[in-house]
Amino acid sequence: MVNNALSESLEIVVERVGNPAPRIYERMFRRSPELEPMFVLDRDGSVRAEMIRLSFDALLDLEQEGQYARGLIATELTTHGNNGITPAQFVSLFDTIRDVVREIVGEQWQPRHEQAWSQVLAKVGDLVARG
């Protein structure tokens, strides 16, 4: 069932590696090195952890009804925009999360996972485009 495939993929990630945040940020900084200096004051990783938690909350909410995610994404898009983050950079975090999840899930990644992630990421893109 596609309906909970995104949630299922995240559960597999937690079972396999626990917290995927270090992998997500490593890949994000490799793709967009200009973003890394923005985290220079995040010495204990709490800002990164909170960003990942909120991103996962939004993704899981968008897999369902998406009411919470709509407000969250609008707020965070404005906040991050005020800090110089472009809409494309904002969306790229969600793409990076998907890529890392896909990599960790590995051989268990199914077409239903791909479909669920594609649907949710399309919703993210639509919300960001609307501002």
Side-chain angles (χ1 to χ4, degrees):
M1 168 199 296
V2 171
N3 213 15
N4 293 314
L6 187 144
S7 302
E8 178 186 286
S9 68
L10 291 175
E11 289 171 11
I12 294 168
V13 166
V14 171
E15 289 171 8
R16 290 193 177 176
V17 301
N19 180 6
R23 291 184 189 201
I24 292 166
Y25 283 102
E26 178 185 334
R27 181 163 301 184
M28 184 178 79
F29 295 149
R30 213 172 39 237
R31 288 180 175 174
S32 302
E34 72 278 7
L35 297 177
E36 191 167 11
M38 300 184 88
F39 292 87
V40 70
L41 297 178
D42 184 28
R43 292 183 182 96
D44 66 356
S46 60
V47 171
R48 295 173 207 207
E50 181 66 5
M51 281 181 55
I52 293 299
R53 186 190 68 76
L54 290 172
S55 298
F56 284 178
D57 287 350
L59 291 165
L60 291 168
D61 188 59
L62 287 169
E63 184 179 33
Q64 305 301 318
E65 294 298 318
Q67 296 303 317
Y68 167 76
R70 286 181 177 88
L72 175 66
I73 288 174
T75 299
E76 293 300 324
L77 185 61
T78 299
T79 300
H80 286 78
N82 290 338
N83 290 320
I85 300 296
T86 67
Q89 289 171 318
F90 186 87
V91 170
S92 75
L93 173 61
F94 293 94
D95 293 334
T96 300
I97 291 170
R98 185 247 353 257
D99 295 347
V100 169
V101 168
R102 183 192 296 136
E103 179 180 283
I104 293 168
V105 171
E107 74 282 348
Q108 285 184 268
W109 188 263
Q110 302 292 318
R112 62 191 172 85
H113 295 122
E114 189 68 37
Q115 183 179 0
W117 277 90
S118 293
Q119 289 172 352
V120 168
L121 293 179
K123 290 178 185 179
V124 170
D126 288 346
L127 291 171
V128 170
R130 285 190 242 155

